């Protein structure tokens, strides 16, 4: 015969076991993180043979110039001043430019992992003109070496560049050379040399096909940048320093189209500079988007601003499993609470080992959910895992509580919990409200059911328990 404990001791043992079960729950959380990391490694492996996330820029003119500088040095113990001529570069952004991109996505698989790759057909036009007031930039027309000008196109991962790349300057096709891209693309890209001795306004046209994966970012430059993007991918995510307005984007099951119009007033950059801003911070993690935007928007950082399209999967199963694990303590708490009520109110004695085995079953749900979600998708995996655990714990409860009628209460509770969890995962904005209401109702129910319990006693008599039943 099982020894009788006071209700307070039963509550204490149930609480201690629940707290102890947080340890394996933490291990499950670590397992989800590990599998997510393995998925990212697999995605990077797919991209390694294709190309990574691309950051591209329109054309930038690079103009060498000479400058006289006075230097002071020690010669035979005396200070000597001399004037030396140095050579440096100016970076001229376009007066206006337009960029048009057609994105053709594809899902590549490796084992159970998937990654989104794409081909881009990009083309653009830009117009350049020397500022009339060069003096305010610290140079004069006589210092410029216009005969050795360069056009640079930035492409962060040039492995994806296809052989059809073309560049036309003032109506003439120029041969492209690798490297010396824009600093805004990490220095990667292509360039071409040309003679701009006349210094007249210049029209530049370019086009290329480009491979990439997961996301595409455009760094706007100049007085006005207009970027138009189209794709058959139905699940784009627009992030970065600039977003298209609601009237400038359309998203449907057939794909999306979006348009950006960005001025140098928004960029906070002059048309002519002596240094280029560095590559923007582009993250594949949605949780880091706010931090990245704050870094980019902070004045004086020297970091380029970018508009980014992320080609995302409609459901990130790892983030949903991760969020479900965070609700694991609620499953343990509500189920243990039901057992405790049957124990102290209805007289069904529940041993510590039975609490422990029930908790192990609840934690196993999350492992099964992760395993099946990687193979079958989140929704199907959720139905399979929850159905298996509900059936297992309902059957076990019949033996523990000594009644199928009581076991049906546990089964109904689990069905309700798993249904509510699925709703919480689908309605993230309402999860806190729904969770707090459930906790309030649970607390109210426990207070009502235990209002006549003598927590310091050894429990009710058999007659009292029979009356409750």
């Amino acid at each position: 015969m099982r020894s009788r404990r006071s209700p307070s001791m039963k509550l204490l043992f149930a609480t201690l076991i629940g707290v102890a079960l947080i340890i394996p729950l933490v291990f499950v959380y670590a397992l989800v993180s590990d599998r997510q990391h393995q998925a990212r490694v697999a995605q990077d492996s797919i991209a390694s043979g294709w190309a990574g996330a691309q950051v591209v820029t329109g054309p930038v003119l690079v103009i060498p110039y000479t400058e006289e500088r006075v230097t002071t040095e020690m010669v035979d113990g005396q200070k000597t001043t001399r004037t030396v001529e140095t050579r440096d570069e100016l970076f001229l952004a376009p007066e206006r430019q337009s960029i048009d991109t057609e994105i053709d996505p594809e899902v590549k698989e490796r084992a159970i992992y998937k990654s989104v790759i794409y081909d881009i057909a990009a083309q653009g036009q830009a117009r350049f003109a020397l500022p009339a007031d060069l003096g305010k930039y610290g140079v004069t027309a006589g210092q410029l070496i216009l005969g050795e000008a360069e056009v640079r196109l930035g492409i962060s991962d040039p492995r994806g560049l296809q052989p059809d790349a073309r560049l036309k300057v003032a109506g003439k096709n120029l041969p492209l050379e690798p490297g010396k891209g824009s600093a805004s693309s990490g220095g990667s890209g292509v360039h071409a040399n040309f003679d701009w001795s006349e210094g007249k306004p210049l029209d530049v046209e370019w086009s290329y096909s480009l491979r990439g994966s997961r996301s595409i970012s455009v760094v706007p430059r100049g007085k006005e940048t207009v970027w138009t993007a189209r794709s058959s991918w139905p699940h784009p995510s627009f992030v970065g320093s600039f977003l298209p307005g609601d009237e400038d984007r359309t998203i449907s099951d057939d794909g999306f189209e979006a348009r950006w119009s960005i001025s140098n007033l928004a960029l906070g950059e002059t048309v002519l500079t002596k240094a280029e801003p560095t590559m923007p911070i582009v993250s594949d993690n949605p949780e880091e988007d706010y931090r990245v935007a704050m870094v980019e928007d902070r004045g004086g950082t020297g970091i380029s601003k970018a508009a980014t399209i992320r080609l995302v999967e409609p459901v990130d199963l790892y983030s949903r499993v991760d969020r479900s694990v965070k609700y694991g303590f609620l499953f343990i708490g509500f189920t243990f609470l039901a057992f405790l009520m049957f124990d102290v109110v209805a007289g069904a004695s529940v041993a510590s080992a039975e609490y422990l085995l029930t908790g192990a079953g609840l934690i196993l749900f999350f492992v099964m959910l992760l395993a099946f979600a990687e193979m079958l998708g989140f929704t199907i995996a959720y139905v399979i895992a929850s159905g298996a655990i509900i059936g297992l714990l309902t059957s076990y409860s019949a033996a523990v509580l000594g009644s199928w009628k009581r076991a049906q209460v546990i089964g109904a509770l689990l069905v309700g919990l798993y249904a509510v969890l699925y709703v919480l995962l689908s309605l993230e904005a309402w999860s806190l409200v729904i969770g707090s209401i459930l906790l309030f109702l649970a607390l109210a129910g426990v207070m009502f059911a235990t209002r006549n319990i003598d927590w310091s006693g050894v429990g009710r008599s058999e007659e009292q328990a029979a009356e409750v039943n």
Side-chain angles (χ1 to χ4, degrees):
M1 181 176 177
R2 294 176 179 174
S3 59
R4 303 298 300 274
R5 301 190 185 99
S6 69
S8 296
M9 290 299 297
K10 293 178 180 180
L11 176 61
L12 177 62
F13 274 99
T15 302
L16 291 177
I17 295 171
V19 171
L21 287 171
I22 293 178
I23 297 174
L25 201 61
V26 170
F27 280 105
V28 174
Y29 186 80
L31 176 63
V32 176
S33 298
D34 179 69
R35 298 296 292 183
Q36 189 172 23
H37 174 71
Q38 290 186 35
R40 178 53 56 86
V41 170
Q43 291 172 351
D44 291 341
S45 177
I46 295 173
S48 65
W50 191 259
Q54 293 286 8
V55 178
V56 302
T57 71
V60 174
L61 290 191
V62 181
I63 306 170
Y65 72 99
T66 58
E67 184 177 17
E68 291 185 350
R69 295 179 181 175
V70 178
T71 62
T72 302
E73 55 187 26
M74 298 295 294
V75 178
D76 297 330
Q78 295 182 345
K79 289 185 178 180
T80 301
T81 300
R82 64 192 184 101
T83 302
V84 297
E85 187 176 79
T86 61
R87 180 177 170 126
D88 214 328
E89 294 178 334
L90 289 173
F91 300 91
L92 180 63
E95 292 289 308
R96 62 179 181 273
Q97 69 170 330
S98 62
I99 303 173
D100 186 86
T101 54
E102 186 79 32
I103 307 171
D104 182 20
E106 182 182 353
V107 177
K108 286 283 187 180
E109 298 185 14
R110 177 163 296 178
I112 62 175
Y113 303 108
K114 299 179 181 180
S115 182
V116 181
I117 61 174
Y118 57 77
D119 285 286
I120 284 182
Q123 61 181 359
Q125 301 84 35
R127 184 171 179 81
F128 293 87
L130 281 172
D133 51 350
L134 285 173
K136 75 176 185 180
Y137 299 100
V139 295
T140 63
Q143 295 176 253
L144 305 182
I145 309 175
L146 295 175
E148 300 180 19
E150 287 181 354
V151 180
R152 296 181 182 177
L153 290 169
I155 301 170
S156 63
D157 192 346
R159 294 177 305 154
L161 193 61
Q162 301 304 294
D164 63 350
R166 299 288 184 270
L167 176 66
K168 185 182 288 186
V169 176
K172 297 180 180 179
N173 289 316
L174 296 183
L176 289 168
E177 300 291 337
K180 296 180 72 174
S182 171
S184 299
S185 62
S188 299
V190 293
H191 73 282
N193 300 302
F194 73 101
D195 186 349
W196 195 26
S197 298
E198 295 182 355
K200 295 181 179 179
L202 191 68
D203 291 317
V204 176
E205 300 177 14
W206 55 272
S207 65
Y208 53 69
S209 296
L210 183 66
R211 291 175 173 179
S213 59
R214 294 197 293 269
S215 68
I216 171 71
S217 301
V218 169
V219 178
R221 296 293 298 274
K223 288 186 177 179
E224 182 184 12
T225 298
V226 177
W227 177 30
T228 303
R230 292 176 298 276
S231 176
S232 59
W233 188 257
H235 310 291
S237 175
F238 303 110
V239 296
S241 298
F242 306 100
L243 304 178
D246 292 338
E247 67 281 0
D248 294 324
R249 62 182 178 185
T250 57
I251 303 174
S252 67
D253 293 338
D254 297 325
F256 72 89
E257 182 172 353
R259 183 179 183 273
W260 290 256
S261 182
I262 304 164
S263 73
N264 67 332
L265 299 178
L267 290 172
E269 299 173 2
T270 58
V271 174
L272 190 66
T273 60
K274 293 185 177 181
E276 280 193 293
T278 59
M279 189 172 179
I281 302 173
V282 179
S283 172
D284 290 331
N285 186 356
E287 296 180 358
E288 297 181 3
D289 289 341
Y290 177 74
R291 180 185 63 82
V292 170
M294 290 296 293
V295 172
E296 287 185 352
D297 292 338
R298 191 177 300 150
T301 60
I303 299 175
S304 297
K305 298 178 176 66
T308 300
I309 301 173
R310 187 182 291 146
L311 305 181
V312 298
E313 292 285 354
V315 176
D316 183 355
L317 67 91
Y318 292 105
S319 64
R320 297 188 73 177
V321 174
D322 177 86
R323 289 181 57 218
S324 69
V325 173
K326 294 176 181 177
Y327 290 105
F329 74 95
L330 288 178
F331 279 74
I332 295 173
F334 276 109
T335 307
F336 279 18
L337 192 59
F339 275 119
L340 184 64
M341 291 300 96
F342 279 117
D343 193 345
V344 300
V345 177
S349 183
V350 183
S352 300
E354 292 164 340
Y355 278 111
L356 189 62
L357 290 173
T358 301
L362 293 171
I363 293 173
L364 181 60
F365 161 76
F366 301 105
V367 179
M368 294 178 65
L369 176 62
L370 174 61
F372 284 109
E374 290 183 330
M375 302 290 294
L376 305 173
F378 183 82
T379 301
I380 297 177
Y382 194 92
V383 172
I384 293 175
S386 60
I389 296 303
I390 290 172
L392 174 65
L393 295 185
T394 301
S395 301
Y396 185 62
S397 299
V400 172
L401 302 177
S403 167
W404 273 103
K405 185 177 180 180
R406 295 171 178 173
Q408 289 174 0
V409 175
I410 299 296
L413 172 67
L414 292 174
V415 169
L417 284 175
Y418 285 116
V420 169
L421 176 61
Y422 191 84
V423 172
L424 290 176
L425 296 176
S426 303
L427 303 175
E428 183 176 358
W430 293 89
S431 59
L432 181 59
V433 174
I434 296 174
S436 61
I437 292 175
L438 286 177
L439 290 174
F440 173 81
L441 294 176
L443 179 61
V446 171
M447 287 180 173
F448 180 80
T450 61
R451 65 192 185 281
N452 296 322
I453 294 293
D454 179 10
W455 291 99
S456 61
V458 295
R460 291 185 171 186
S461 63
E462 295 295 327
E463 290 80 13
Q464 289 174 311
E467 289 178 1
V468 173
N469 288 330

